Amino acid sequence: MKVTQIPFKNTGFFSKTMLDYVAQKEAMHPFFNNFPDSRGFSNQIKEKEKSFTHQSRLVLVDALKKQYTQFEVSEKTQENINLLKLQNTFTVTTGHQLNLFTGPLYFLYKIISTINLSEELRRKFPENNFVPIYWMATEDHDFDEINYFNFEGKKVKWSRDDGGAVGRFSTDGLEHVFEVFASQLGNSKNANYLKELFSKGYLEHNNLAAATRYIANDLFKEFGLVILDGDAAELKKLFIPFVKDELENGTSFKEVSNTITKLEINYKIQVNPRDINLFYLSENSRERILHEDGVYKVNNTSLQFSKSEILKEVEQNPVAFSPNVIMRPLFQEVILPNLGYVGGGGEIAYWLELKDYFEKVNIPFPILLLRNSVQVISEKQQKKLDKLAVSHADLFEKQHALLAKKVIENSEIEISFEDKMRYLKNEFSELKEVAKKTDISFVNAVNAQERKQLKGLENLQKRLLKAEKRRQVELVDRITILQNQLLPNQSLEERQVNFSEYYIAYGPAFIKALKEVLNPLDLTFTVLEL
């Protein structure tokens, strides 16, 4: 096993927002609180300790114990749940949709980053306890985003009627998905584990939330991961004051809109707030709450409330009020003694819009940590890269640029016209000095001729490169195939591939390897040779 770290910016897959955040650029400073380093976490501990009550801890622990009732709880996870009662215990959280069989690889990277960060904080601050939390996005309702995963280039998909919060979805119909998936796995020891994991997760639990909890728990219970479902009445009760504030004052819209005005000067906006950033949740629907002409209406239904009626409904039925992407982070920070959120680039980008909102409602804004990203390279693939003289840095170049570079390096003739272009520019530079002594029309003519000559050289270079690519077709094909394997669809494999492909090959050693090498505070991209 060999590990190489590459700056995020050198991969070409991370936004300006993320690169500037990681670099702590001055333009970013108004949009985050403490940065993910030792000093930042020390400050965050003090802030959260003052704001999170013992009563909230008891409610949280009680909710977790109920949620784990039907599940095997490891000694380490049980210990972490009990530790949450103590005032010196804090959490580090990541969240993820309930993707079928965990979805893309980065599901693992998020959770392992969170586990490793918790362990690192224990070493840095031994007087405190730190618990890794996986927040299941059970209240999401975009089924099309989660109803499939990719295995060996093929989509394994679950088809069913959409509607409501996905965590409440029945697992009926997943028997057929299991049969299709199992038929592709073979009968190795690792394959049989995956079959059992899928079968016990989805065929022995009656809803998607329970199935996802089983799978995540089985994969990570030895590390003490605590899995939380926010769709619980006792947890929603803690959020009642903020739901009422949203309905009466539209605070999130005002504050987030103000932040966006400042943020969009330099950065792309990830999400935009609505007037009311809440859904009304029932058994088979999750619909926006609208406020029109003094009446609160539930979109696409006949439900409507006066102001007093909807505030009463919040008190009596808090579980029906579901925060959207703008308010969900606040809900998380209200019910958890949380220090930091570990997320992908898109998630961190929308969290950066929320700092003013958190300050307005007097809840500490958490530390934001860009999760670890990984490119896995097998021993066989690394040998091919070495033979082709393709470095890890080369691998992340655009394919046309990579092929041109390697064809030029491997050619027996000179394909690059850079020297010729420099010579031509120098010649025209002298000619321009002469032209300046005549009139403007001659200067323009010289400039036009220079552009024409340079364009001509560029075209000749392209034709020569194209011809050389045909001559070196074997090299071109080998590089193309290998890069496509490692970066499917010219994208990071972590967004395309399911963990099962690596589990088939390496078994539990794959997760152990990730656990060993991922350093969430390093803030670089990881290349892992297995």
Side-chain angles (χ1 to χ4, degrees):
M1 183 170 66
K2 182 180 177 183
V3 178
T4 306
Q5 304 299 145
I6 297 175
F8 285 124
K9 65 180 180 180
N10 290 2
T11 70
F13 287 110
F14 293 84
S15 68
K16 180 178 185 294
T17 304
M18 284 306 94
L19 296 178
D20 282 6
Y21 175 65
V22 169
Q24 300 186 66
K25 291 287 183 72
E26 189 67 30
M28 265 290 145
H29 282 208
F31 309 108
F32 66 89
N33 183 21
N34 291 307
F35 194 73
D37 54 25
S38 293
R39 185 175 66 175
F41 277 106
S42 178
N43 292 337
Q44 198 73 27
I45 288 169
K46 294 170 187 174
E47 289 182 32
K48 196 67 181 184
E49 192 172 30
K50 294 175 184 176
S51 70
F52 201 75
T53 68
H54 182 64
Q55 183 57 36
S56 294
R57 290 179 178 276
L58 297 180
V59 172
L60 173 63
V61 171
D62 184 57
L64 283 167
K65 287 182 175 179
K66 287 179 183 176
Q67 292 180 13
Y68 272 94
T69 300
Q70 302 298 320
F71 294 85
E72 178 188 345
V73 186
S74 71
E75 184 177 337
K76 199 163 185 180
T77 295
Q78 187 61 63
E79 179 186 349
N80 278 341
I81 292 173
N82 291 332
L83 283 173
L84 287 167
K85 294 178 184 177
L86 304 178
Q87 200 63 24
N88 66 334
T89 298
F90 302 93
T91 61
V92 178
T93 303
T94 193
H96 196 66
Q97 295 172 298
L98 307 189
N99 294 75
L100 188 61
F101 211 47
T102 75
L105 258 175
Y106 64 77
F107 173 82
L108 266 67
Y109 304 158
K110 274 184 167 183
I111 290 178
I112 294 173
S113 295
T114 304
I115 291 168
N116 283 359
L117 178 57
S118 298
E119 293 179 358
E120 177 67 16
L121 291 175
R122 285 191 197 109
R123 290 189 286 271
K124 289 181 181 295
F125 306 100
E127 68 278 12
N128 295 300
N129 307 303
F130 302 92
V131 175
I133 300 284
Y134 162 41
W135 178 291
M136 295 193 296
T138 56
E139 295 179 59
D140 278 7
H141 63 285
D142 197 338
F143 183 58
D144 288 341
E145 288 188 359
I146 68 164
N147 67 346
Y148 70 94
F149 63 95
N150 296 314
F151 180 76
E152 294 185 344
K154 297 178 182 177
K155 184 175 283 190
V156 180
K157 187 175 180 180
W158 177 25
S159 297
R160 57 149 287 158
D161 292 336
D162 201 350
V166 295
R168 302 180 182 187
F169 279 13
S170 166
T171 52
D172 290 347
L174 279 166
E175 299 90 345
H176 175 67
V177 178
F178 172 67
E179 290 171 6
V180 172
F181 180 46
S183 69
Q184 301 176 44
L185 287 174
N187 291 300
S188 67
K189 179 182 177 181
N190 294 335
N192 288 334
Y193 168 75
L194 292 174
K195 291 176 189 177
E196 182 179 23
L197 182 65
F198 192 104
S199 177
K200 286 188 174 181
Y202 293 111
L203 307 188
E204 296 183 15
H205 295 88
N206 60 12
N207 64 50
L208 192 55
T212 304
R213 181 186 296 275
Y214 176 86
I215 290 168
N217 183 58
D218 203 70
L219 289 171
F220 299 108
K221 61 188 176 185
E222 68 176 287
F223 306 119
L225 181 69
V226 175
I227 302 163
L228 178 63
D229 181 356
D231 188 12
E234 59 267 54
L235 298 176
K236 292 284 184 74
K237 284 180 183 177
L238 297 176
F239 200 50
I240 284 175
F242 303 92
V243 172
K244 286 184 173 180
D245 173 63
E246 180 69 5
L247 293 167
E248 292 188 272
N249 304 311
T251 304
S252 67
F253 175 79
K254 295 172 186 174
E255 296 302 324
V256 176
S257 295
N258 177 56
T259 303
I260 285 174
T261 300
K262 296 178 286 185
L263 188 62
E264 65 185 356
I265 295 171
N266 295 298
Y267 303 104
K268 181 181 177 182
I269 299 305
Q270 190 71 16
V271 295
N272 286 287
R274 299 187 183 277
D275 292 339
I276 295 178
N277 291 289
L278 292 166
F279 290 92
Y280 190 87
L281 186 61
S282 61
E283 193 57 37
N284 294 308
S285 73
R286 183 177 183 250
E287 295 286 350
R288 288 168 50 207
I289 297 174
L290 308 174
H291 189 211
E292 299 173 352
D293 301 323
V295 177
Y296 294 88
K297 301 176 181 178
V298 179
N299 198 39
N300 295 321
T301 76
S302 59
L303 284 174
Q304 60 182 44
F305 305 87
S306 66
K307 180 178 177 179
S308 61
E309 288 172 338
I310 200 164
L311 295 178
K312 184 178 180 181
E313 178 75 355
V314 174
E315 289 283 353
Q316 295 180 344
N317 189 21
V319 76
F321 292 83
S322 177
N324 74 354
V325 66
I326 294 292
M327 288 191 70
R328 190 214 65 80
L330 180 67
F331 179 38
Q332 170 189 299
E333 297 303 309
V334 166
I335 68 174
L336 287 173
N338 199 50
L339 300 178
Y341 184 78
V342 179
E347 291 175 286
I348 302 301
Y350 73 69
W351 274 87
L352 290 168
E353 300 176 23
L354 305 178
K355 182 166 174 273
D356 289 346
Y357 177 38
F358 272 71
E359 289 180 353
K360 182 68 175 181
V361 297
N362 201 30
I363 296 294
F365 191 60
I367 289 174
L368 306 177
L369 181 62
L370 184 61
R371 64 167 173 82
N372 287 117
S373 281
V374 185
Q375 176 63 55
V376 181
I377 300 177
S378 70
E379 184 179 2
K380 184 178 179 180
Q381 289 169 330
Q382 185 58 49
K383 286 180 178 177
K384 289 181 179 179
L385 287 172
D386 291 340
K387 284 183 180 179
L388 294 167
V390 175
S391 69
H392 292 160
D394 290 336
L395 180 63
F396 293 100
E397 291 194 33
K398 297 295 184 185
Q399 193 164 90
H400 65 87
L402 173 60
L403 293 174
K405 178 180 178 180
K406 292 303 164 185
V407 164
I408 290 170
E409 287 178 3
N410 197 57
S411 179
E412 297 173 357
I413 61 175
E414 183 184 352
I415 297 176
S416 174
F417 284 13
E418 288 184 11
D419 290 343
K420 296 176 178 60
M421 288 181 179
R422 276 196 297 271
Y423 175 78
L424 191 62
K425 287 178 181 178
N426 288 336
E427 292 297 306
F428 272 98
S429 179
E430 292 179 12
L431 190 55
K432 286 175 192 177
E433 292 302 316
V434 174
K436 288 176 184 177
K437 297 174 183 178
T438 57
D439 60 64
I440 190 65
S441 63
F442 187 48
V443 173
N444 291 339
V446 171
N447 287 332
Q449 189 63 29
E450 180 184 26
R451 288 193 296 271
K452 182 179 179 180
Q453 294 290 335
L454 289 172
K455 186 66 175 176
L457 278 179
E458 288 174 7
N459 290 335
L460 286 173
Q461 180 177 257
K462 287 177 182 177
R463 290 184 64 178
L464 183 56
L465 179 60
K466 191 174 182 180
E468 191 64 9
K469 282 183 179 179
R470 288 196 298 268
R471 193 179 71 81
Q472 298 187 42
V473 65
E474 183 181 350
L475 175 70
V476 168
D477 287 348
R478 287 166 64 197
I479 293 175
T480 301
I481 290 169
L482 186 54
Q483 191 189 45
N484 288 345
Q485 286 177 354
L486 294 167
L487 300 174
N489 301 318
Q490 291 293 287
S491 176
L492 291 177
E493 70 162 4
E494 64 184 35
R495 300 174 186 169
Q496 308 282 325
V497 176
N498 182 259
F499 87 98
S500 55
E501 292 191 34
Y502 284 113
Y503 202 95
I504 286 284
Y506 302 104
F510 178 59
I511 292 176
K512 288 180 180 177
L514 292 172
K515 177 73 173 57
E516 181 179 336
V517 304
L518 294 190
N519 179 359
L521 297 179
D522 187 50
L523 299 180
T524 56
F525 186 92
T526 302
V527 178
L528 174 61
E529 298 174 42
L530 286 177

